[in-house]
Amino acid sequence: MKVAFLGTGLMGLPMAQRLLAADIQLVVYNRTPEKLAPLQAAGAEIATHPRQAIRAAECVILMLTNTPAIYNVLLSDTAWQTLEGRTIIQMGTITPTESQEIRDAVVAGGGEYLEAPVLGSIPEAKAGKLSVMVGAEPEQYERHLKLLQNFGTEPLLIGPVGAAAALKLALNQLIASLTTSFALSLAFVQRQGVDVDVFMQILRDSPLYAPTFDKKLQRMLDGNYADPNFPTKHLLKDTELFISEAKSQNLDISSIKGVRQILQTAVKMSFADDDYSSLFSVIKEWGEAIGE
């Protein structure tokens, strides 16, 4: 089987490299062609237009930034006409509603569609240890399981299209909320003169602890947010998606709206392309950040 991989950014690049390492024939496309150089050197075929990649492959994997990018790359007039007989696997973070609408467009073009968003960042992508959540019919899941196992050893069927997208948003809401809560507590104990090592010792021995706290601790203490595994702007985008979808479900979104405000401020403070742990700087400098 020949696979087309559309979108080779921070996550897409190591994921595409996993397929090449498994000796899967790969044709790749990225809107920024310079990002394709490592894949070309490893043996991937380069497409200059999305339709070329789609036409050359039986299966098309999408790891694109957002839904507008998917429509532009996959569902433009020229690309949509090449979908007949192809399988589209959407692996980015979008809303359940958006995923279902894209499925309908793909099916109308004669293709089949499943979603398989992932939890994890660049280290897990490189190691093939992402958590892969699949929204598809059981038969589709079984048919594409071997391919998806290149990204994570145990891809899990969540339900029909939309179910995996919803779960991914729920998990990313936790990323934003947990990190914000930890950053606030960390800044608070620092201001109160409590030793950070003692704070972490108590926290690690408690049911409150989450491993992500230690992953972000040193970045926060050092104020070093460079070389992100997950940039602030992407977490803000996912938080916006969660708020939109949760609002439609009549849920109280007061808490996550506060997190969104912190992320928006981080972006305004030029942390958009830095690691999302940069929200710690917003919390520490809140008065200055909002102009008080």
Side-chain angles (χ1 to χ4, degrees):
M1 178 174 62
K2 193 170 187 178
V3 174
F5 204 107
L6 310 184
T8 58
L10 287 176
M11 288 291 286
L13 176 60
M15 291 172 68
Q17 288 170 328
R18 292 284 308 175
L19 298 181
L20 287 172
D23 293 325
I24 292 173
Q25 281 188 294
L26 198 64
V27 53
V28 294
Y29 169 81
N30 195 75
R31 289 179 295 174
T32 307
E34 294 78 18
K35 294 183 178 180
L36 297 173
L39 296 171
Q40 186 174 28
E45 178 185 339
I46 305 300
T48 55
H49 296 284
R51 65 179 181 273
Q52 294 175 342
I54 297 167
R55 191 180 293 118
E58 302 160 59
C59 179
V60 180
I61 293 176
L62 306 179
M63 197 63 183
L64 297 163
T65 306
N66 51 32
T67 297
I70 294 173
Y71 273 87
N72 182 59
V73 168
L74 184 74
L75 299 175
S76 66
D77 289 342
T78 54
W80 183 78
Q81 294 171 7
T82 65
L83 295 182
E84 187 170 358
R86 270 77 179 176
T87 297
I88 310 301
I89 303 179
Q90 199 295 117
M91 302 193 73
T93 303
I94 60 177
T95 70
T97 302
E98 290 169 335
S99 190
Q100 290 161 350
E101 289 173 350
I102 294 166
R103 173 203 57 197
D104 293 346
V106 168
V107 170
E112 71 166 345
Y113 175 92
L114 55 155
E115 61 187 15
V118 298
L119 183 67
S121 56
I122 295 172
E124 290 79 18
K126 288 180 177 179
K129 294 183 178 180
L130 293 166
S131 296
V132 183
M133 300 159 278
V134 185
E137 296 302 316
E139 181 273 332
Q140 290 178 305
Y141 166 76
E142 293 294 340
R143 188 156 34 91
H144 296 94
L145 181 58
K146 186 175 180 181
L147 175 64
L148 293 172
Q149 284 174 330
N150 288 288
F151 309 122
T153 54
E154 297 182 11
L156 186 63
L157 178 62
I158 307 303
V161 169
L167 179 53
K168 179 59 164 63
L169 284 184
L171 293 167
N172 278 24
Q173 187 277 146
L174 273 177
I175 292 173
S177 294
L178 280 174
T179 306
T180 303
S181 294
F182 173 69
L184 180 58
S185 289
L186 178 61
F188 182 78
V189 298
Q190 283 184 316
R191 292 285 170 87
Q192 294 292 330
V194 176
D195 188 286
V196 170
D197 289 338
V198 174
F199 165 62
M200 291 304 300
Q201 178 184 341
I202 297 296
L203 180 58
R204 291 185 191 109
D205 289 339
S206 80
L208 303 173
Y209 177 71
T212 188
F213 299 158
D214 267 310
K215 289 183 178 180
K216 297 303 176 185
L217 175 63
Q218 203 58 50
R219 279 187 178 273
M220 291 179 179
L221 294 177
D222 295 343
N224 178 13
Y225 312 120
D227 300 318
N229 289 327
F230 191 29
T232 305
K233 64 183 180 182
H234 289 172
L235 185 57
L236 174 58
K237 182 267 291 185
D238 293 351
T239 300
E240 296 276 13
L241 293 180
F242 178 88
I243 288 172
S244 172
E245 201 73 13
K247 189 184 296 184
S248 73
Q249 299 299 314
N250 297 316
L251 296 173
D252 187 332
I253 54 175
S254 303
S255 61
I256 191 63
K257 286 172 75 174
V259 172
R260 176 178 64 181
Q261 184 176 358
I262 292 170
L263 290 168
Q264 287 172 334
T265 304
V267 169
K268 290 176 184 176
M269 291 172 65
S270 301
F271 292 124
D273 294 312
D274 292 317
D275 189 85
Y276 66 88
S277 54
S278 63
L279 58 82
F280 181 64
S281 286
V282 177
I283 288 170
K284 283 201 308 179
E285 304 165 24
W286 181 254
E288 294 87 344
I290 61 175
E292 291 183 357

